[in-house]
Coordinates of all heavy atoms in Angstrom, one line a residue:
G1 N 106.7 123.6 80.7 CA 107.3 122.3 80.2 C 106.7 121.1 80.6 O 105.7 121.1 81.3
A2 N 107.1 120.0 80.1 CA 106.5 118.6 80.3 C 107.0 118.2 81.7 O 107.9 118.6 82.3 CB 106.9 117.7 79.2
C3 N 106.2 117.2 82.3 CA 106.4 116.6 83.5 C 106.9 115.1 83.2 O 106.3 114.4 82.4 CB 105.2 116.5 84.3 SG 104.5 118.2 84.8
A4 N 107.9 114.6 84.0 CA 108.3 113.2 83.9 C 107.4 112.4 84.9 O 107.1 112.8 86.0 CB 109.8 113.1 84.3
L5 N 106.9 111.3 84.3 CA 106.0 110.4 85.1 C 107.0 109.5 85.9 O 108.1 109.2 85.6 CB 105.1 109.6 84.2 CG 104.0 110.4 83.6 CD1 103.3 109.8 82.4 CD2 103.0 110.9 84.7
P6 N 106.4 108.8 86.9 CA 107.3 107.9 87.8 C 107.8 106.7 87.0 O 107.2 106.3 86.0 CB 106.3 107.5 88.9 CG 105.1 108.5 88.8 CD 105.1 109.0 87.5
E7 N 108.8 106.1 87.5 CA 109.4 105.0 86.9 C 108.5 103.8 87.0 O 108.4 102.9 86.2 CB 110.7 104.6 87.5 CG 111.8 105.7 87.4 CD 113.2 105.1 87.1 OE1 113.3 103.9 87.3 OE2 114.0 105.9 86.7
T8 N 107.7 103.7 88.1 CA 106.7 102.7 88.3 C 105.5 103.3 89.0 O 105.7 104.2 89.7 CB 107.3 101.5 89.0 OG1 106.3 100.5 89.3 CG2 107.9 102.0 90.4
F9 N 104.3 102.7 88.8 CA 103.1 103.1 89.5 C 102.8 102.2 90.7 O 101.9 102.4 91.5 CB 101.9 103.1 88.6 CG 102.1 104.1 87.4 CD1 101.9 103.6 86.1 CD2 102.4 105.4 87.6 CE1 102.0 104.4 85.0 CE2 102.6 106.2 86.5 CZ 102.4 105.8 85.2
G10 N 103.6 101.2 90.9 CA 103.4 100.2 92.0 C 102.8 98.9 91.4 O 102.2 99.0 90.2
S11 N 102.9 97.9 92.1 CA 102.5 96.5 91.5 C 101.0 96.4 91.3 O 100.6 95.7 90.4 CB 103.0 95.5 92.5 OG 102.4 95.6 93.7
E12 N 100.2 97.2 92.0 CA 98.7 97.1 91.9 C 98.2 98.1 91.0 O 97.0 98.2 90.8 CB 98.2 97.1 93.3 CG 98.1 98.4 94.0 CD 99.4 98.8 94.7 OE1 100.4 98.1 94.7 OE2 99.4 99.9 95.3
I13 N 99.0 99.0 90.4 CA 98.4 100.0 89.6 C 99.1 99.9 88.2 O 100.2 99.6 88.0 CB 98.7 101.4 90.1 CG1 98.0 101.5 91.5 CG2 98.3 102.5 89.2 CD1 98.1 102.9 92.2
T14 N 98.2 100.1 87.2 CA 98.7 99.9 85.8 C 98.2 101.1 84.9 O 97.3 101.9 85.4 CB 98.2 98.6 85.2 OG1 98.7 98.4 83.9 CG2 96.7 98.5 85.1
T15 N 98.7 101.2 83.7 CA 98.2 102.2 82.8 C 96.7 102.0 82.4 O 96.3 100.9 82.1 CB 99.0 102.1 81.4 OG1 100.4 102.2 81.8 CG2 98.6 103.1 80.4
A16 N 95.9 103.1 82.4 CA 94.5 103.0 82.1 C 94.4 102.7 80.6 O 95.3 103.1 79.8 CB 93.8 104.3 82.4
S17 N 93.2 102.1 80.3 CA 93.0 101.7 78.8 C 92.8 103.0 77.9 O 93.1 102.9 76.8 CB 91.9 100.8 78.7 OG 90.8 101.2 79.5
A18 N 92.2 104.0 78.5 CA 91.9 105.2 77.8 C 92.7 106.4 78.4 O 92.7 106.5 79.7 CB 90.5 105.6 77.8
N19 N 93.4 107.2 77.7 CA 94.2 108.2 78.1 C 95.2 107.9 79.2 O 95.4 108.5 80.2 CB 93.3 109.4 78.7 CG 94.1 110.7 78.9 OD1 95.1 111.0 78.2 ND2 93.7 111.5 79.8
G20 N 95.8 106.6 79.0 CA 96.7 106.1 80.0 C 98.1 106.7 80.2 O 98.6 107.3 79.2
C21 N 98.5 106.8 81.4 CA 99.9 107.3 81.7 C 100.9 106.1 81.4 O 100.6 105.0 81.9 CB 100.0 107.6 83.2 SG 98.9 108.9 83.8
E22 N 102.0 106.5 80.7 CA 103.1 105.5 80.5 C 104.1 105.7 81.6 O 104.7 106.8 81.8 CB 103.6 105.7 79.2 CG 102.8 105.5 78.0 CD 102.5 104.0 77.8 OE1 103.3 103.2 78.3 OE2 101.5 103.7 77.1
A23 N 104.4 104.7 82.4 CA 105.5 104.7 83.3 C 106.8 105.1 82.7 O 107.0 104.7 81.5 CB 105.7 103.4 84.0
R24 N 107.6 105.9 83.3 CA 108.8 106.4 82.7 C 108.6 107.4 81.5 O 109.5 107.7 80.9 CB 109.8 105.4 82.4 CG 110.3 104.5 83.5 CD 111.2 103.4 83.1 NE 110.6 102.5 82.1 CZ 109.8 101.5 82.4 NH1 109.4 101.4 83.8 NH2 109.3 100.8 81.5
G25 N 107.3 107.7 81.3 CA 107.0 108.6 80.2 C 107.0 110.0 80.6 O 107.5 110.4 81.5
E26 N 106.3 110.8 79.7 CA 106.3 112.3 79.8 C 104.9 112.7 79.7 O 104.1 112.2 78.8 CB 107.2 112.9 78.7 CG 107.6 114.3 79.0 CD 108.6 114.7 78.1 OE1 108.3 114.9 76.8 OE2 109.8 115.1 78.5
L27 N 104.5 113.7 80.5 CA 103.2 114.2 80.4 C 103.3 115.7 79.9 O 104.0 116.5 80.6 CB 102.5 114.1 81.8 CG 100.9 114.5 81.8 CD1 100.2 113.7 80.8 CD2 100.5 114.3 83.2
L28 N 102.7 116.0 78.9 CA 102.8 117.4 78.4 C 102.1 118.3 79.3 O 101.2 118.1 80.1 CB 102.1 117.5 77.0 CG 102.7 116.7 75.9 CD1 102.0 116.9 74.6 CD2 104.2 117.1 75.7
S29 N 102.7 119.6 79.3 CA 102.2 120.6 80.2 C 100.7 120.9 79.9 O 100.2 120.8 78.8 CB 103.0 122.0 80.1 OG 102.5 122.9 81.0
N30 N 99.9 121.2 81.0 CA 98.5 121.4 80.9 C 97.8 120.2 80.3 O 96.7 120.4 79.7 CB 98.2 122.7 80.1 CG 98.9 123.9 80.7 OD1 98.9 124.1 81.9 ND2 99.4 124.7 79.8
S31 N 98.1 119.0 80.6 CA 97.4 117.8 80.2 C 97.3 116.8 81.4 O 98.0 117.0 82.4 CB 98.1 117.1 79.0 OG 99.3 116.7 79.3
T32 N 96.5 115.8 81.2 CA 96.3 114.8 82.2 C 96.4 113.4 81.6 O 96.3 113.2 80.4 CB 94.9 114.9 82.9 OG1 93.9 114.8 81.9 CG2 94.7 116.3 83.5
C33 N 96.6 112.4 82.5 CA 96.5 111.0 82.0 C 96.0 110.2 83.2 O 95.9 110.7 84.3 CB 97.9 110.5 81.4 SG 99.2 110.4 82.7
L34 N 95.7 108.9 82.9 CA 95.0 108.1 83.9 C 95.8 106.8 84.2 O 96.3 106.2 83.3 CB 93.6 107.8 83.5 CG 92.7 109.0 83.3 CD1 91.3 108.6 82.6 CD2 92.4 109.7 84.6
V35 N 95.7 106.3 85.4 CA 96.1 104.9 85.7 C 94.9 104.2 86.3 O 93.8 104.8 86.5 CB 97.2 105.0 86.8 CG1 98.5 105.5 86.3 CG2 96.8 105.8 88.0
Q36 N 94.9 103.0 86.4 CA 93.8 102.2 86.9 C 94.4 101.0 87.7 O 95.6 100.7 87.6 CB 92.9 101.7 85.9 CG 93.5 100.6 84.9 CD 92.7 100.3 83.7 OE1 91.8 101.0 83.4 NE2 93.0 99.2 83.1
C37 N 93.6 100.3 88.5 CA 94.0 99.2 89.3 C 94.3 98.0 88.4 O 93.6 97.9 87.4 CB 92.9 98.8 90.3 SG 92.6 100.1 91.6
A38 N 95.3 97.3 88.8 CA 95.6 96.0 88.0 C 94.5 95.0 88.1 O 93.8 95.1 89.0 CB 96.9 95.5 88.5
P39 N 94.5 94.1 87.1 CA 93.5 93.0 87.2 C 93.5 92.3 88.5 O 94.6 92.0 89.1 CB 93.9 92.0 86.0 CG 94.6 93.0 85.1 CD 95.3 94.0 85.9
G40 N 92.3 92.1 89.1 CA 92.3 91.4 90.4 C 92.2 92.4 91.6 O 92.0 92.0 92.7
Y41 N 92.5 93.6 91.3 CA 92.4 94.7 92.3 C 91.2 95.6 92.0 O 90.8 95.8 90.8 CB 93.7 95.6 92.3 CG 94.9 94.8 92.8 CD1 95.6 94.0 92.0 CD2 95.2 94.9 94.2 CE1 96.8 93.3 92.6 CE2 96.4 94.3 94.7 CZ 97.1 93.5 93.9 OH 98.2 92.8 94.3
G42 N 90.7 96.2 93.1 CA 89.6 97.2 92.9 C 90.1 98.5 93.6 O 90.9 98.5 94.4
A43 N 89.5 99.6 93.0 CA 89.9 100.9 93.6 C 89.4 101.0 95.0 O 88.2 100.8 95.3 CB 89.3 102.0 92.7
A44 N 90.2 101.5 95.9 CA 89.9 101.6 97.3 C 89.6 103.1 97.6 O 88.6 103.4 98.3 CB 91.0 101.1 98.2
S45 N 90.5 104.0 97.1 CA 90.2 105.4 97.3 C 91.1 106.1 96.4 O 92.0 105.6 95.8 CB 90.6 105.7 98.8 OG 91.9 105.5 99.0
G46 N 90.9 107.5 96.4 CA 91.9 108.4 95.7 C 91.5 108.6 94.2 O 90.6 108.1 93.7
S47 N 92.3 109.4 93.6 CA 92.2 109.8 92.2 C 93.1 109.1 91.3 O 94.2 108.9 91.6 CB 92.4 111.3 92.1 OG 92.5 111.7 90.7
P48 N 92.6 108.6 90.1 CA 93.5 108.0 89.1 C 94.2 108.9 88.2 O 94.7 108.4 87.3 CB 92.4 107.1 88.5 CG 91.2 107.9 88.4 CD 91.2 108.7 89.8
Q49 N 94.1 110.1 88.4 CA 94.6 111.2 87.4 C 95.9 111.8 87.9 O 96.1 112.2 89.0 CB 93.5 112.2 87.3 CG 94.0 113.3 86.2 CD 92.9 114.3 86.0 OE1 91.9 114.1 85.3 NE2 93.0 115.5 86.6
F50 N 96.8 111.7 86.8 CA 98.0 112.5 87.0 C 97.8 113.8 86.1 O 97.1 113.7 85.1 CB 99.2 111.8 86.4 CG 99.9 110.7 87.2 CD1 99.3 109.5 87.3 CD2 101.0 111.0 87.9 CE1 99.9 108.5 88.1 CE2 101.6 110.0 88.7 CZ 101.1 108.8 88.8
S51 N 98.3 114.9 86.6 CA 98.2 116.2 85.8 C 99.4 117.0 85.8 O 100.3 116.8 86.8 CB 97.0 117.0 86.3 OG 97.2 117.4 87.6
C52 N 99.8 117.6 84.8 CA 101.0 118.4 84.6 C 100.5 119.9 84.4 O 99.8 120.2 83.3 CB 101.8 117.9 83.5 SG 103.3 118.8 83.3
L53 N 100.9 120.8 85.2 CA 100.6 122.2 85.0 C 101.9 123.0 85.0 O 102.6 123.1 86.1 CB 99.6 122.7 86.2 CG 99.2 124.1 86.1 CD1 98.5 124.4 84.8 CD2 98.3 124.5 87.2
E54 N 102.3 123.5 83.9 CA 103.5 124.3 83.8 C 104.7 123.6 84.4 O 105.5 124.3 85.2 CB 103.3 125.7 84.4 CG 102.2 126.4 83.6 CD 101.8 127.8 84.2 OE1 102.4 128.2 85.3 OE2 100.9 128.4 83.6
G55 N 104.9 122.4 84.2 CA 106.1 121.6 84.6 C 105.9 121.0 86.0 O 106.9 120.4 86.4
V56 N 104.8 121.3 86.7 CA 104.7 120.7 88.0 C 103.7 119.5 88.0 O 102.5 119.6 87.5 CB 104.1 121.7 89.0 CG1 103.8 121.2 90.4 CG2 105.1 122.9 89.1
L57 N 104.2 118.3 88.3 CA 103.3 117.1 88.3 C 102.5 116.9 89.5 O 103.0 117.1 90.7 CB 104.3 115.9 88.1 CG 103.5 114.5 88.0 CD1 102.8 114.5 86.7 CD2 104.5 113.4 88.1
T58 N 101.2 116.7 89.4 CA 100.4 116.3 90.5 C 100.1 114.8 90.3 O 99.5 114.4 89.3 CB 99.0 117.2 90.5 OG1 99.3 118.5 90.6 CG2 98.1 116.7 91.6
A59 N 100.5 114.1 91.2 CA 100.4 112.6 91.0 C 99.1 112.0 91.4 O 98.3 112.6 92.3 CB 101.4 111.9 91.9
A60 N 98.7 110.9 90.8 CA 97.5 110.2 91.2 C 97.6 109.8 92.6 O 98.7 109.4 93.1 CB 97.3 109.0 90.2
T61 N 96.5 109.7 93.3 CA 96.5 109.2 94.7 C 95.7 107.9 94.9 O 95.3 107.5 95.9 CB 95.8 110.3 95.6 OG1 94.5 110.6 95.1 CG2 96.7 111.6 95.6
L62 N 95.5 107.2 93.7 CA 94.7 106.0 93.7 C 95.4 104.9 94.5 O 96.6 104.7 94.5 CB 94.6 105.5 92.3 CG 93.8 104.2 92.0 CD1 92.4 104.4 92.3 CD2 94.1 103.7 90.6
T63 N 94.6 104.3 95.4 CA 95.0 103.1 96.1 C 94.1 102.0 95.7 O 92.9 102.2 95.6 CB 95.0 103.3 97.6 OG1 93.7 103.6 98.0 CG2 96.0 104.5 98.1
C64 N 94.7 100.8 95.6 CA 93.9 99.7 95.1 C 94.0 98.6 96.2 O 95.0 98.4 96.9 CB 94.4 99.1 93.8 SG 94.4 100.4 92.5
A65 N 92.9 97.7 96.3 CA 92.9 96.7 97.2 C 92.6 95.4 96.6 O 91.8 95.3 95.5 CB 91.8 97.0 98.2
L66 N 93.2 94.3 97.0 CA 93.0 93.1 96.3 C 91.6 92.5 96.5 O 91.0 92.6 97.5 CB 94.0 92.0 96.9 CG 94.1 90.6 96.2 CD1 94.6 90.8 94.8 CD2 95.2 89.9 97.0
G67 N 91.1 92.1 95.3 CA 89.7 91.4 95.3 C 88.5 92.3 95.6 O 87.5 91.8 95.9
R68 N 88.6 93.6 95.4 CA 87.5 94.5 95.6 C 86.8 94.7 94.2 O 87.6 94.9 93.3 CB 87.9 95.8 96.2 CG 88.2 95.7 97.7 CD 88.6 97.0 98.3 NE 87.5 97.9 98.3 CZ 87.3 98.8 99.3 NH1 88.0 98.8 100.3 NH2 86.3 99.7 99.1
C69 N 85.6 94.7 94.2 CA 84.9 94.9 92.9 C 84.3 96.3 92.8 O 83.9 96.7 93.8 CB 83.8 93.8 92.7 SG 84.5 92.1 92.7

């Protein structure tokens, strides 16, 4: 089955421009989607990818820091 995505990704994380995850959306089984840091933030660590495997969501671990390039 599909996985439900979180209601929000946090103030510093937004939908990626390509293959982006939609907040409150749905991720089909055996597929992935991406988030990215919001404008003005840079990636500090972690993975920007959400994945859904047979109904189990693996969340992105991306953390963003203000003003990093």
Side-chain angles (χ1 to χ4, degrees):
C3 301
L5 290 167
E7 300 220 347
T8 176
F9 300 127
S11 59
E12 71 278 3
I13 294 179
T14 186
T15 300
S17 49
N19 192 30
C21 301
E22 293 288 340
R24 296 178 303 280
E26 200 173 62
L27 187 57
L28 296 178
S29 190
N30 302 320
S31 64
T32 62
C33 67
L34 299 171
V35 292
Q36 65 187 20
C37 295
Y41 290 83
S45 66
S47 166
Q49 180 175 283
F50 281 82
S51 61
C52 180
L53 181 61
E54 294 173 3
V56 178
L57 182 70
T58 300
T61 54
L62 181 66
T63 57
C64 303
L66 190 57
R68 288 179 65 144
C69 297

